[in-house]
Amino acid sequence: MTAPQPHSLRPPRPSLALAGLACLAVAACAPMVPTRAPAASAAAAKAEAAPVAAACPKDLAPIARCLSGQDSAGAYYLIAIPQKWNGHLVLHAHGGPALGAPKAERAVEDLERWSIMVRAGYAWAGSTFRQGGVEVRAAAEDTERLRQIVVQHVVQPQRTILHGQSWGASVAARGAEMFQRTADGKRPYDVVLLTSGVLAGGSRSYDFRTDLRVVYQYLCNNHPRPTEAQYPLNIGLPADAAMTQADLAARVNECLALNKPVAERTTEQQRKVQTLVDVLRIPASSIQGHMNWATFHYRDVVQHRTGGASPFGNRGAVYKGSPDDAALNAGVLRYRADPQAVARFAADTDPTGQIPVPVLTVKGVDDPTAFVELDAQFKATMDKAGSGARLVQTFTRHSGHSYLSDPTYPTLMAALLRWVNEGEGAKPTPAGIAQQCAAYEAEFGKGCAFLPTYVPAPLASRVVDRERP
């Protein structure tokens, strides 16, 4: 068959093999052999060593080659180039974040999870980031450093897609704002894809976890116990506390029995679980994970990011949904967010909306980790910055967070590339994306679940508002 012209986009046909699908779906021409990027300057080459050959994850080994390395800031990274490359690069910003020093294994795990990108014909590169913890701008710098390593030492892509997942969506959004031009005046990122994103910034995205800590303590009174040294719950944990995640899980199960089926919980345990579910509007299955965040990540933020003061508060929050709201609101502990800590945290984590390239988002409407209402806040941010015309948001019926489905992502990537290649006349719509997704199921399996008419409610409808500095 005649190879399509570069940047042509049309849905795949069931009879096409994977390589053909990738070419047709993502603006590629005939299978391309990866070519070396132009030689970098001696200074740049000295600053960042070239990656070395590495083993690909087992599922990708037959169709790709991989390279790995550690950058000058200490971040590990992994790069995958499919044998039948479509000419485009995905720069991945991972979720989490994990606490502690970076580990090379994290990049392998990310590539395994996002192997769909490589199977669809894209080159993929992901950084572990130089450090653990909640520092968004540093992670964005690490992602941009990896992009430079790829173009200096590996390949020169036609288009570069900045992809952020979960917390990494905030990294990608901030990165797109921070890095708008390269030294030669070009765009480092052509488009941005934000999936299952935490997109309201640190100053708003974590409010419900503060609420969880205080409501949990009101109900359970064991974190800390009355016999232990007391501390403000909005700092997470004291700096020198020796508690582990296993210790915390034991306390939560002592009170709520989350490790048991509902039928095996006592009436009192289930009453407390249901109160948390109704007041916080989170599923019982996510309580433990959010408690971990509100404990260990809060400590990381306070001790390492905001100078020992907490940016989290709940003064003025009015809680609803318990058997006795008056008693709950009278009994929960109240904390005032420190103004300087809020400003410092917001400067690092809050998107400004000043993104100069097309942005496409996707979120499962029942995401238990990053509420769908966060996307309404992000839209308001983009609109306020005058960038709203460059944002298209899509939503799906999925209830997961870490991964939606295989056909979802190639559909979104193709829509983004069509938009940037063909201009405003090709700006995608949720309805168009929903229609196009079905064609990708033939190659990537079932999983399309777009809801083209869905519009999320404001964040304040899900998370109670509060006094803010």
Side-chain angles (χ1 to χ4, degrees):
M1 61 179 287
T2 302
Q5 294 299 310
H7 311 313
S8 66
L9 288 158
R10 53 182 184 260
R13 296 179 299 188
S15 60
L16 290 174
L18 177 61
L21 170 63
C23 285
L24 289 170
V26 292
C29 55
M32 300 177 62
V33 177
T35 57
R36 292 285 173 182
S41 67
K46 183 177 180 181
E48 298 297 339
V52 299
C56 287
K58 182 175 64 175
D59 291 347
L60 293 179
I63 65 167
R65 66 184 178 96
C66 292
L67 305 99
S68 65
Q70 186 175 22
D71 71 20
S72 59
Y76 297 98
Y77 61 83
L78 187 61
I79 302 165
I81 313 292
Q83 293 172 0
K84 296 179 179 179
W85 181 43
N86 63 32
H88 307 303
L89 169 68
V90 175
L91 256 295
H92 176 74
H94 69 68
L99 301 177
K103 298 180 180 179
E105 292 81 5
R106 174 61 202 249
V108 177
E109 294 168 2
D110 289 333
L111 177 54
E112 289 174 340
R113 177 176 295 174
W114 294 99
S115 66
I116 184 63
M117 301 298 190
V118 181
R119 289 185 281 124
Y122 296 90
W124 183 95
S127 170
T128 64
F129 309 142
R130 74 187 82 164
Q131 62 187 7
V134 188
E135 189 158 4
V136 172
R137 290 177 63 89
E141 292 168 356
D142 297 337
T143 301
E144 168 59 15
R145 188 179 305 106
L146 177 55
R147 185 196 66 81
Q148 294 179 25
I149 290 171
V150 173
V151 299
Q152 289 173 6
H153 296 296
V154 186
V155 292
Q156 189 71 36
Q158 296 174 16
R159 295 291 190 188
T160 299
I161 301 99
L162 180 57
H163 171 218
Q165 161 68 17
S166 186
W167 177 80
S170 65
V171 173
R174 293 294 277 135
E177 297 166 359
M178 292 164 59
F179 303 103
Q180 298 195 6
R181 293 288 181 184
T182 62
D184 58 3
K186 297 180 180 179
R187 297 284 189 201
Y189 309 113
D190 296 290
V191 291
V192 179
L193 176 64
L194 306 176
T195 60
S196 305
V198 179
L199 291 171
S203 63
R204 290 182 181 270
S205 294
Y206 309 136
D207 285 344
F208 78 98
R209 287 172 173 148
T210 305
D211 299 337
L212 175 60
R213 278 300 301 268
V214 300
V215 176
Y216 174 89
Q217 189 68 359
Y218 171 80
L219 295 170
C220 298
N221 199 29
N222 70 354
H223 184 33
R225 301 183 192 279
T227 56
E228 296 173 326
Q230 302 300 293
Y231 58 86
L233 300 183
N234 67 338
I235 70 168
L237 273 180
D240 59 352
M243 175 178 278
T244 66
Q245 287 193 7
D247 295 333
L248 176 57
R251 294 194 185 203
V252 172
N253 288 327
E254 171 190 294
C255 179
L256 305 178
L258 295 178
N259 58 334
K260 296 180 180 179
V262 173
E264 296 181 15
R265 295 173 190 158
T266 67
T267 300
E268 183 66 5
Q269 287 171 334
Q270 182 56 26
R271 181 189 68 81
K272 292 176 180 179
V273 171
Q274 195 61 49
T275 297
L276 289 170
V277 169
D278 292 342
V279 174
L280 279 301
R281 299 182 64 187
I282 58 176
S285 60
S286 71
I287 290 174
Q288 184 66 62
H290 290 309
M291 283 291 288
N292 289 342
W293 241 94
T295 301
F296 303 106
H297 284 76
Y298 272 31
R299 177 171 62 178
D300 173 80
V301 170
V302 171
Q303 297 300 324
H304 301 297
R305 320 299 168 190
T306 57
S310 177
F312 310 114
N314 70 324
R315 281 192 181 178
V318 178
Y319 302 113
K320 299 178 181 179
S322 73
D324 188 341
D325 289 343
L328 173 62
N329 282 285
V332 295
L333 294 167
R334 300 284 178 174
Y335 301 98
R336 174 180 178 269
D338 181 85
Q340 291 184 334
V342 171
R344 190 168 176 175
F345 196 46
D348 182 63
T349 65
D350 285 10
T352 68
Q354 296 171 350
I355 300 177
V357 298
V359 181
L360 185 55
T361 71
V362 66
K363 174 74 66 67
V365 296
D366 293 319
D367 189 320
T369 301
F371 299 153
V372 70
E373 291 83 3
L374 294 172
D375 289 54
Q377 186 70 31
F378 184 65
K379 183 180 186 303
T381 299
M382 292 284 285
D383 288 342
K384 184 177 180 180
S387 303
R390 290 190 286 275
L391 172 67
V392 174
Q393 295 181 300
T394 66
F395 303 93
T396 75
R397 288 191 302 273
H398 296 107
S399 59
H401 172 70
S402 296
Y403 195 84
L404 300 180
S405 72
D406 279 0
T408 295
Y409 303 107
T411 303
L412 297 169
M413 300 286 275
L416 266 175
L417 289 171
R418 186 182 298 112
W419 186 5
V420 73
N421 288 333
E422 300 179 15
E424 282 304 299
K427 181 178 178 178
T429 65
I433 287 172
Q435 183 178 14
Q436 293 154 14
C437 187
Y440 292 83
E441 290 185 323
E443 191 68 33
F444 297 109
K446 294 293 184 180
C448 293
F450 285 99
L451 299 171
T453 62
Y454 183 84
V455 177
L459 182 58
S461 70
R462 177 70 173 266
V463 181
V464 294
D465 209 353
R466 62 211 59 220
E467 295 175 11
R468 301 185 186 277

